[in-house]
Amino acid sequence: MSNLSKSTVKSATQFARAVSWMGHPLVFVTVSVGIVVVSRLARRDALSILLVLFVSVILPTALLLFGGVRSGHWSDADISVRTERKRVYPMTILLLAIGIVALWSLRASNFVLRGTLVTFALFILAAIANFWIKLSLHALFAFYCSVILFRINPLFGGVAFALATTLFWSRLHLQRHDLAEMLTGTLLGLGGGMVAAWWP
């Protein structure tokens, strides 16, 4: 391989890693939730919902992921090893359940509650699927959020879809998933997004 080819491959890999980090489910979902809540709710209600979600779900999940990496329980923040995900899914599902109860107690809007319930269901489906396949959570939540954002604002949705598509390529380029794992995550995300954003 020529030096030019090596340089091109290295640049592509660095770009793929950057996209992968930007499209990490925790990042993609957090930003998307912020956009949705601020766009759909009054400022006071939006701040309350964001605070509850941050304290009950987002922050504990971040601590779970990065604390697990530092302690050596997980190989990386993506939880790329399928066997490691068996321990992560139950804890994440529990955190989401706590978040749902907290939102319900705040009498959050049906749109917000439905989105949280669909997210909860997607994690359960991913946990079940994990017995056979390590589906891409990056793809799942990138396309899931993209569909919802498109309902909120076509411009936001278009940008999110572009990032989700690039993310799809990056995960394949980095060999974190095979095509079947990426497609499974993508289809679940698209289906979940349709239910969360467009179901009557």
Side-chain angles (χ1 to χ4, degrees):
M1 184 181 292
S2 68
N3 289 335
L4 179 60
S5 297
K6 289 180 181 178
S7 177
T8 301
V9 170
K10 183 178 180 180
S11 296
T13 300
Q14 289 174 338
F15 177 69
R17 285 175 180 158
V19 171
S20 185
W21 272 105
M22 286 189 296
H24 189 282
L26 193 61
V27 176
F28 215 121
V29 171
T30 300
V31 173
S32 299
V33 166
I35 293 172
V36 169
V37 170
V38 170
S39 300
R40 294 293 295 254
L41 303 177
R43 180 178 297 179
R44 184 175 179 180
D45 292 338
L47 289 175
S48 298
I49 296 297
L50 288 174
L51 181 61
V52 165
L53 286 174
F54 181 78
V55 172
S56 63
V57 180
I58 296 170
L59 179 60
T61 302
L63 293 174
L64 172 67
L65 292 179
F66 294 102
V69 172
R70 290 193 65 182
S71 65
H73 287 102
W74 327 129
S75 56
D76 54 50
D78 295 341
I79 319 295
S80 296
V81 179
R82 186 165 65 90
T83 53
E84 293 177 356
R85 292 188 175 190
K86 293 179 181 179
R87 291 179 287 172
V88 175
Y89 279 124
M91 290 182 277
T92 307
I93 290 169
L94 175 61
L95 290 174
L96 280 168
I98 293 170
I100 290 169
V101 171
L103 290 174
W104 179 78
S105 67
L106 279 179
R107 297 182 180 178
S109 69
N110 288 336
F111 190 83
V112 172
L113 273 176
R114 183 168 58 187
T116 312
L117 286 168
V118 173
T119 303
F120 181 77
L122 287 173
F123 262 105
I124 291 176
L125 289 173
I128 294 171
N130 194 61
F131 286 103
W132 299 279
I133 185 173
K134 188 192 72 175
L135 63 80
S136 173
L137 292 174
H138 277 70
L140 191 161
F141 286 105
F143 284 98
Y144 172 64
C145 292
S146 297
V147 173
I148 296 173
L149 288 173
F150 193 83
R151 175 68 187 272
I152 298 298
N153 184 306
L155 177 59
F156 291 156
V159 171
F161 268 114
L163 178 56
T165 302
T166 308
L167 185 63
F168 189 104
W169 162 81
S170 75
R171 301 300 287 173
L172 288 175
H173 180 80
L174 295 172
Q175 299 181 343
R176 295 297 178 90
H177 295 280
D178 59 30
L179 185 58
E181 293 169 344
M182 293 301 300
L183 289 174
T184 303
T186 298
L187 292 174
L188 264 180
L190 291 172
M194 292 297 292
V195 172
W198 299 92
W199 197 264

